[in-house]
Amino acid sequence: MTISTRPAPGPSRTFQFPRFERTALPNGLQVVVAPVRKLPVVTVLAVIDAGATSDPPGREGLAQLTAEGLREGTLKHDGIQILEGFEKLGSSLEAGADWDSTIVSMTLLRDKLTPGLELMTEVLTSPSFPEREVERLKAERLAERAQILAEPRGLADESFSRFLYAKRSRYSEPMAGTTASVSVITRDEIAAFFASRYTPDAVTVIVVGDIHTEEAVTLVSTTLGGWAGKRASVDAASVMQARSTRAVEIIAKEGAAQAELRLGHIGIPRSHPDYFNVVVMNALLGGLFSSRINLNLREQHGYTYGASSFFDWRREPGPFVIATAVQSEVSAAAISETLKEIDGMRTEEIPEEELSLATNYLEGVFPIRYETTSSIASALANLVVFGLPENFYDTYRENIHAVRPSDVLRAAQGYVFPEMLQIVVVGDPAVVKEPVGKLALGDLSVRSATEA
């Protein structure tokens, strides 16, 4: 059977994001409740305004260690007892920090909610950060970092951030810290960070699942309503690109058969008004499997198993990144073809049919993302962290559908800058340096992988 035309997409699945309400407790703690009564389960997620951008200089990784340390013991129970307490409830407590926030969450059966919330409250309000457990967490982080630096993909990601952002920018260093910074963080510094950042006016508790709004607010008020304290002010992350012109850095991995490529520059903040135009433009450029960069490098030339691009959305402008791994011998050719695709996206409007492929996909997968209580709670956390409009998810598909070819062209011209691209190649200099240098992309430097 020969298929000469692609079948037309079916109608979009009807979907309405769950209704939710916000309530503020007298101590400043915010409560967001979304009743979703399909199954007898509830997700509770606490968003704390204590992300990695709060880390003091030289103490990068402090927010992450503080989040991980929450589960290691409280003033009443040690870490094992905390772990067993959640296991008896048929749940577990997850805790971690990203750039803008710390998230603590659990999902459990409806009839276990009250004891679960009481235990979660104990963890949130009175962690003890035992010295021995802090040292164990630090050792784990240092071991992870050694592994990252030994693996080309992780090395490329870290090297790209450091090459892209100015040294005084927090974004130039890894979110979970460096070997040097993690090594010197003390238990007392973690406790001090907790005392200054984990305060009720810096916390939003999100409750999603089989519960009425009034009952959820009462439960949170009973458990966390007596928590006192005021958050310390923190300056916004400094965001400066290391240089204003295009440049190339080769990270030496002698003998490497493949080269990891990263190209990009500083992007835009998550709250940017052109968000939807940029999302669709990036989907077409490198965000989807059918994107121009992936089809070029993978399908047309066979350089790679996959290539992608993305805007790393943060409160402050995160990086715009094009990432792939290619055979070392074709590194220069892959970079050249990628630049051609960027130029093409910025030169003329994209055909309607190509645009509809991206928008239909983005509209179609949207409901699938929010089928569980935990995914709905995470979506609501994004509203909190990034200050998005209350109707963001109600109008998401409408906004995606409204993007026109002229909007895509404007987004490509306005937010993708070939002349400012910073390019990192992790590979064998003996193979990649000369051909990449012949592209004359800008200043080219080579450094050892051990310096990362």
Side-chain angles (χ1 to χ4, degrees), residues 195-390:
S196 64
R197 305 301 304 167
Y198 287 60
T199 55
D201 57 347
V203 176
T204 299
V205 173
I206 298 169
V207 184
V208 179
D210 185 19
I211 191 168
H212 293 290
T213 299
E214 297 77 11
E215 182 184 6
V217 173
T218 298
L219 270 174
V220 175
S221 180
T222 301
T223 52
L224 287 159
W227 191 11
K230 293 290 183 183
R231 82 173 91 182
S233 61
V234 174
D235 295 335
S238 171
V239 179
M240 293 185 65
Q241 188 150 318
R243 61 195 68 76
S244 58
T245 57
R246 200 160 55 187
V248 183
E249 182 176 60
I250 295 173
I251 311 298
K253 291 285 282 185
E254 285 79 4
Q258 285 198 326
E260 286 281 344
L261 307 182
R262 300 291 184 272
L263 301 86
H265 52 66
I266 293 178
I268 57 178
R270 174 62 183 82
S271 58
H272 197 282
D274 265 341
Y275 171 79
F276 288 101
N277 295 333
V278 172
V279 165
V280 174
M281 181 275 296
N282 180 67
L284 292 158
L285 178 63
L288 302 179
F289 185 83
S290 60
S291 68
R292 291 187 171 190
I293 291 176
N294 193 54
L295 290 182
N296 183 323
L297 300 188
R298 175 190 160 99
E299 304 298 322
Q300 183 179 344
H301 288 97
Y303 291 158
T304 179
Y305 289 113
S308 62
S309 68
F310 62 92
F311 283 77
D312 192 347
W313 298 113
R314 305 172 187 174
R315 280 181 183 161
E316 303 299 327
F320 160 65
V321 187
I322 298 169
T324 189
V326 302
Q327 304 160 41
S328 297
E329 292 77 8
V330 300
S331 296
I335 292 172
S336 180
E337 291 300 321
T338 299
L339 295 177
K340 288 180 184 176
E341 296 301 342
I342 291 174
D343 288 341
M345 186 67 74
R346 287 167 45 87
T347 302
E348 58 184 40
E349 290 188 3
I350 201 155
E352 283 278 0
E353 183 181 13
E354 189 177 354
L355 173 64
S356 67
L357 278 175
T359 55
N360 287 338
Y361 174 82
L362 293 171
E363 290 179 63
V365 300
F366 181 73
I368 300 172
R369 296 174 180 169
Y370 306 113
E371 293 187 333
T372 65
T373 55
S374 60
S375 62
I376 295 167
S378 295
L380 292 171
N382 282 334
L383 295 187
V384 173
V385 173
F386 299 117
L388 303 178
E390 299 276 305

Side-chain angles (χ1 to χ4, degrees), residues 52 64 75 85 99 138 142 148-149 181 194 210 248 264 344 382 422:
Q64 182 66 43
L75 300 180
W99 285 111
K138 287 172 59 178
L142 294 175
I148 288 171
L149 296 180
S181 67
F194 170 82
D210 185 19
V248 183
N382 282 334
Q422 306 301 298

